[in-house]
Amino acid sequence: MDMEVLRFPLSSPSARAPANANVWERLLQTFAVPAPTAHRFLPKLKAGPLLLEVGQPPEWKPFEVVLAGASAADLGLYYYPHKEDATPMGCIRLQSAHIDSLEEVLMVVAKDKTWFLCADHVRDASDWCDAICSAIERVSNRDGAATQHQLQERRRRLNSSASAVTLCELQSRGAKARVDEFLEVFVRSTREDMCLQAAKGALSWSCMRSLAWKVWLECIPADVPFSQWVVIARDKRQRYEKLRKKQNLFQDLLVGKQRPEDLLTMCETSTDSLLYSIYKDVRRTRGDMPYFRDPVVQCLLIRVLYVYSATHSEISYNQGMGELLATLVYLLHIEQWPTDEDDIEEVIAGEHDAEPDGRLSGSYFFPATSPTKEQAEDTSTEEEDTSYVYVESFINIQNDDSFLDRDTFLRLAPFAGGSGRYYECCRDAAGEIVRELTASEFIEHDAYLLLEEMMLRMAGTYCPHVRIPRRNSRSEKPLSSADQLPPSPLDDQMNRIHHHILSRCDPPTARHLAKLGVEPQIFLLRWVRVLMAREFETPQVWQIWDAIFSLTPSDFSFINLLCVAVVREFREEILAAEDATNVLLSLRDIADRIEPPRLVDNARELYDALLIAAAVEASMGSA
């Protein structure tokens, strides 16, 4: 078999030198070397030990891997069986490759094959990912081989910019409008109607989304009267305040003795592996959004993740949790109670005890400034954001002639489905609740509480071998029987999506994926661990989470149906694929090819069909 060679002409190309040529002519003739050794003459960009999946059937083997190359044509990962070996065993070509990482695993989608590599630690995998992406960008810029859009795609850093029109309008919405929305959502609606409307995107134009999430995730129990909401919220915020006080490394910042930039510098050089891992992920989280480039916001994310990891050592910190937290924090920021222009942007108290009125100290907040007149005029002329659906009213209920007073309102539990009119004192009471529960200075506290509830339900996804005890839910009966299941280990969830739901809903696609050897975790892991947060823009992720939280609040199992809906959306491309690499390429950049409302609707159809099938099977079994 002919060996592939790279030729290096040291003189002008010519025929092989004749036998009677002098020694210099023979030495300067065109010579050939085996391709794998050519990288020895290329600049080494990074080297180190990695596990590489090779062979048939694939198995993990240790290699010394060298990232080297001076141009798009020769850039690659050259791997050696042993560090001392002079000749590598092979090369992973990086020209036009796409890189992704999750925990310790790197996935390199090359032109001819998808490669998997594994580092010893998450930090090492992240360093390799950054080095490879930087090398691809550098040689592509030098060779003019890629557009800026293509370069951004290779990093798999999704653009999370939100609609300026929609978010600006939400931030500037007045107190009266917010109170009206609160009464419409939590008093006039029933739980079932609210969940169904939320799944259709009705919360996209509302400032009550974060409050609805708090109820669905049981930060505020759904069966307690409104009179208890503020008390419960303050108690839980106090709990986070006490947990945060235990972490001494944040105290100087909270009392104004340290700048946020100084804390970030300390994290960058810290020997605390947990703190450094969180810092590095936070610095990469939503970096294209100015809000998340703010050092104050980055410090907030670091504090919440560190406090959570220290408090819940059985789960600790795992890559992907920062994406979940960022999605929560940005929503709380957008929906915070509007503040006056004279309000300061930071509240920094000298002491960390609770104030007499129950408000907490030592918190940062970011007021939502009202748009100027010029901005409002510009906003009115911009194109409407098609990712939102406008719903005039959640529930079409005819008013009766009765009036709801303050005391009666405070005795109500949410989702009473009431009608009638409201006395002004009732509106005042509702305004006090909304103002307290969406206060700017408690964004950090509320983000922690929401993340804690999410991780309680996703423990099996992040720590498959750790069983987290579930508290008894006091909410109403869930909408589906699947909602009552305990969280499954990650592998079980992957297999359930791939081999149970997909096989039942689309047998040909399931068989084709199995035939090509496409393991479910290759493409499902990314979607499941962050609930599609890396696939869509932030407001679109909110809409997807509305459906997950409202329909399956106990275990988030609606994400399973969303994953199947994505696969079915691209079934024609999948069935036409001849290898696993083409399947993975067809499932990339899904946000460019399917809108979240359509994705949710398709998943809802599967959801309803499976519920009907389960009911039929149950009735036949009991007959």
Side-chain angles (χ1 to χ4, degrees), residues 23 35 60 116 148 314 330-331 334 344 392 407 480 503 513 560 604:
V23 65
W60 292 101
F116 293 92
Q148 185 63 29
E314 71 281 2
Y330 197 55
L331 176 64
I334 292 298
I344 58 174
E392 182 68 28
D407 292 339
S480 75
S503 296
L513 290 173
N560 300 347
R604 279 291 312 280

Side-chain angles (χ1 to χ4, degrees), residues 27 54 86 128 144 154 180 182 223 462 470 502 532 543 556:
L27 287 176
V54 295
W128 272 102
R154 287 175 188 158
D180 289 340
F182 178 86
D223 58 351
Y462 281 88
R470 303 289 301 278
L502 182 61
M532 298 283 180
Q543 186 173 348
F556 298 169

Side-chain angles (χ1 to χ4, degrees), residues 243-521:
L243 294 174
R244 190 177 64 178
K245 285 179 64 176
K246 295 180 181 179
Q247 309 304 325
N248 294 327
L249 60 95
F250 301 128
Q251 298 311 310
D252 286 346
L253 175 64
L254 294 173
V255 298
K257 295 181 180 179
Q258 184 183 41
R259 298 184 308 129
E261 293 82 359
D262 295 334
L263 176 65
L264 295 176
T265 300
M266 182 192 73
C267 294
E268 185 176 15
T269 58
S270 175
T271 57
D272 183 339
S273 59
L274 173 61
L275 181 62
Y276 180 80
S277 296
I278 292 174
Y279 159 80
K280 194 161 186 180
D281 285 345
V282 165
R283 295 285 278 186
R284 288 195 298 261
T285 300
R286 310 293 172 88
D288 56 334
M289 298 177 65
Y291 177 77
F292 289 103
R293 293 198 296 268
D294 188 332
V296 175
V297 177
Q298 292 181 353
C299 289
L300 183 153
L301 298 177
I302 290 173
R303 284 197 301 273
V304 172
L305 292 171
Y306 193 87
V307 171
Y308 177 85
S309 302
T311 304
H312 299 275
S313 57
E314 71 281 2
I315 298 178
S316 189
Y317 175 74
N318 291 273
Q319 195 175 45
M321 291 168 59
E323 291 282 351
L324 300 178
L325 178 61
T327 305
L328 296 171
V329 168
Y330 197 55
L331 176 64
L332 294 169
H333 164 70
I334 292 298
E335 294 191 353
Q336 64 185 283
W337 187 263
T339 56
D340 297 331
E341 293 182 358
D342 294 335
D343 288 346
I344 58 174
E345 293 193 2
E346 291 182 2
V347 174
I348 304 178
E351 300 294 331
H352 297 283
D353 298 328
E355 302 297 335
D357 64 353
R359 297 175 72 82
L360 305 180
S361 62
S363 303
Y364 289 91
F365 72 99
F366 315 92
T369 56
S370 300
T372 63
K373 180 179 179 181
E374 292 77 8
Q375 290 173 328
E377 291 174 353
D378 292 341
T379 297
S380 63
T381 61
E382 293 194 33
E383 184 178 356
E384 183 179 356
D385 186 358
T386 58
S387 65
Y388 288 92
V389 55
Y390 180 73
V391 179
E392 182 68 28
S393 174
F394 283 92
I395 308 297
N396 184 18
I397 299 178
Q398 296 294 328
N399 286 339
D400 57 30
D401 295 330
S402 62
F403 281 83
L404 192 65
D405 60 25
R406 180 186 180 95
D407 292 339
T408 305
F409 162 73
L410 291 175
R411 288 195 297 269
L412 289 176
F415 307 125
S419 59
R421 303 178 183 179
Y422 309 103
Y423 283 117
E424 195 62 32
C425 59
C426 173
R427 292 182 177 276
D428 291 342
E432 293 169 7
I433 293 174
V434 178
R435 182 186 298 108
E436 178 71 21
L437 295 185
T438 60
S440 305
E441 56 265 41
F442 300 130
I443 287 178
E444 177 177 345
H445 303 72
D446 293 346
Y448 174 87
L449 297 173
L450 285 168
L451 178 68
E452 189 175 48
E453 292 293 342
M454 290 185 68
M455 293 307 301
L456 184 66
R457 294 153 174 81
M458 300 180 70
T461 302
Y462 281 88
C463 296
H465 305 295
V466 176
R467 285 289 182 180
I468 307 299
R470 303 289 301 278
R471 64 168 177 267
N472 293 328
S473 173
R474 296 185 296 174
S475 60
E476 299 178 28
K477 184 179 179 180
L479 296 181
S480 75
S481 58
D483 204 29
Q484 301 171 348
L485 296 175
S488 301
L490 184 58
D491 289 342
D492 291 346
Q493 185 178 10
M494 300 293 102
N495 290 328
R496 177 176 176 79
I497 295 172
H498 194 270
H499 300 298
H500 177 69
I501 303 177
L502 182 61
S503 296
R504 191 169 186 175
C505 299
D506 193 344
T509 302
R511 287 195 296 267
H512 189 65
L513 290 173
K515 177 182 177 181
L516 297 179
V518 180
E519 295 296 329
Q521 61 268 24

Side-chain angles (χ1 to χ4, degrees), residues 530-546:
V530 295
L531 304 180
M532 298 283 180
R534 291 179 178 172
E535 311 307 320
F536 295 94
E537 295 183 354
T538 305
Q540 296 174 318
V541 175
W542 294 340
Q543 186 173 348
I544 291 173
W545 286 16
D546 287 342

Side-chain angles (χ1 to χ4, degrees), residues 162-182:
S163 164
V165 177
T166 302
L167 299 188
C168 181
E169 193 277 332
L170 288 178
Q171 287 181 299
S172 61
R173 192 165 295 173
K176 182 179 183 301
R178 292 171 186 255
V179 171
D180 289 340
E181 288 180 21
F182 178 86

